[in-house]
Amino acid sequence: MKASALTLFELNALVREVIESTFTTCYWVEAELSEVREVRGHCYMELVQKDLFSPTPVARASAKCWKSRWALLRPKFEQTTGQSLHAGMKVMLKVAASFHEAYGFAWIVQDIDPTYTLGDMARKRREIVRRLQQEGVFDLQKELTIPLFAQHIAVISSEQAAGYGDFCRQLADNELGLAFEPQLFPAVMQGDQVEPSIIAALDAINAEADRFDVVVIIRGGGATADMSGFDTLALAENVANFPLPIITGIGHERDESILDMVSHTRVKTPTAAAALLVDHLAGVWHHVDDCQRRMTTCVSRRLETAHARLERCAGRIPTLFSLVKVRQEARLERLSTQLTALIQGQLGGAAARLQQLEALVPTLAKQRMTDEMHRLERTQLRLRAVDPQLLLSRGYSITLHQGRAVHDASQLKPGDEIETRLEHGTVRSTVNPIHHPS
């Protein structure tokens, strides 16, 4: 070993002396947390600074906050910001340089400025709100209407959360005994899995959206820190575009989260969300009950008016009936008199006409018989003129073949039997071959 060589411990001791003599004060530093963990009450952080135009870190460092200091800084930070330290958060730390021979260099955290983190959170929230407004979805939920009979409720919450139990009890124990049917869609409500877990639950509800009237996202019974999961663009877009009204009651007193801003209605606690639904349905029930009373009153009045009118009409019926009866009897009497006169007039005219016809019948009958006798005589004369016997008496004969008169010799053929009728007697003969003159 050369005489000038140092041991590693000696070298690190020299570095420690240099650092302690050079960095004699504390420094405020802006950085982003890439990792945060607690070990036996101490807080260990990994700090990074990223390039403006890429996510690549341009600087890294380790920081530590010892248990005694961390016990004071943590409650103050979480109470002010409403969140716990987590990866991705920007912080302003008051640090002092420290170098240990065995553990190397680290920045020792002396203080944390929560207002810086609040400012960065507010900037991110403003950017998300701006994006949502540019997309035209920021107020979409406000345009929806909670149905009158909102009884089927999809609940997104941690199954073990006390707030979920309070919500269900508040619904079940309402004074009017109104019936609700909540169905739980479990989700992680704290930590890095808030966003993907709630989005998955919304997707499951959307798959059967027709079964539900409203969605309730509730969180309660735990620490109010670490609310960053409710301030993400992806979750806000899913909630804003959801087809059912969404009520949020995530149990914190600080300013609204982005989730609260885009939801239909924001309340502070799960029990307040249940009270809202109970009051809404109670208002509908009271309105229906009021309408029922008004309808009953209106119908009763109409029935009373109709009954009174009916009684008045019933009282007038005997008088009206008597008047109508007298009028109809007089009318029937007039019609009877007119009918009798008409029948008598018709009978008188028919009797006179009958007498006239009786006087004309003998003359008409005699004239008709004379005309018919003359017509009969003319017919007999015509029959005598065409009598075949008269022709036969004049020397003519009639040749018949098969009972019919023969007018043309060509109608006959050799061998045909013919009958010749004379004035006195009949001659039968057979036709011989006929010779026609050439």
Side-chain angles (χ1 to χ4, degrees), residues 141 144-147 212-216 242-247 263-265:
Q141 273 283 312
L144 300 178
T145 302
I146 297 178
F212 300 103
D213 302 312
V214 68
V215 178
V216 175
F242 205 73
L244 298 177
I246 295 179
I247 300 171
S263 66
H264 181 278
T265 304

Side-chain angles (χ1 to χ4, degrees), residues 197-266:
S197 181
I198 293 180
I199 291 176
L202 288 172
D203 290 340
I205 296 170
N206 191 45
E208 46 182 345
D210 292 342
R211 294 184 50 237
F212 300 103
D213 302 312
V214 68
V215 178
V216 175
I217 301 177
I218 54 177
R219 172 187 183 272
T224 59
D226 195 10
M227 303 296 294
S228 60
F230 301 99
D231 284 332
T232 69
L233 178 62
L235 179 57
E237 288 175 332
N238 274 267
V239 170
N241 288 285
F242 205 73
L244 298 177
I246 295 179
I247 300 171
T248 56
I250 52 180
H252 59 95
E253 299 294 332
R254 68 180 182 87
D255 293 338
E256 289 180 305
S257 67
I258 299 295
L259 180 65
D260 292 322
M261 293 180 185
V262 299
S263 66
H264 181 278
T265 304
R266 178 247 180 161

Side-chain angles (χ1 to χ4, degrees), residues 117-194:
T117 302
L118 281 176
D120 184 67
M121 291 165 52
R123 181 190 60 78
K124 290 181 179 178
R125 284 153 56 88
R126 286 195 300 271
E127 177 63 20
I128 292 174
V129 170
R130 187 187 65 80
R131 285 279 302 275
L132 294 172
Q133 290 173 339
Q134 284 183 342
E135 295 171 5
V137 301
F138 187 77
D139 294 317
L140 286 182
Q141 273 283 312
K142 305 297 188 296
E143 297 175 6
L144 300 178
T145 302
I146 297 178
L148 292 179
F149 298 93
Q151 296 172 277
H152 299 85
I153 305 162
V155 183
I156 299 177
S157 178
S158 172
E159 189 170 6
Q160 291 78 26
Y164 173 63
D166 294 340
F167 175 82
C168 292
R169 281 190 294 274
Q170 184 82 2
L171 288 181
D173 299 337
N174 65 88
E175 296 179 355
L176 295 177
L178 302 173
F180 293 91
E181 295 184 16
Q183 179 177 336
L184 177 65
F185 289 81
V188 176
M189 302 304 289
Q190 187 168 338
D192 296 338
Q193 295 302 309
V194 169

Side-chain angles (χ1 to χ4, degrees), residues 49-88:
Q49 178 183 341
K50 295 180 180 177
D51 184 76
L52 288 176
F53 304 103
S54 74
T56 304
V58 296
R60 291 179 180 272
S62 297
K64 303 173 185 178
C65 188
W66 302 125
K67 181 177 180 180
S68 58
R69 177 68 64 175
W70 181 239
L72 299 175
L73 296 181
R74 175 180 176 178
K76 176 184 175 183
F77 182 86
E78 292 182 351
Q79 183 177 6
T80 303
T81 64
Q83 297 191 31
S84 59
L85 292 177
H86 60 267

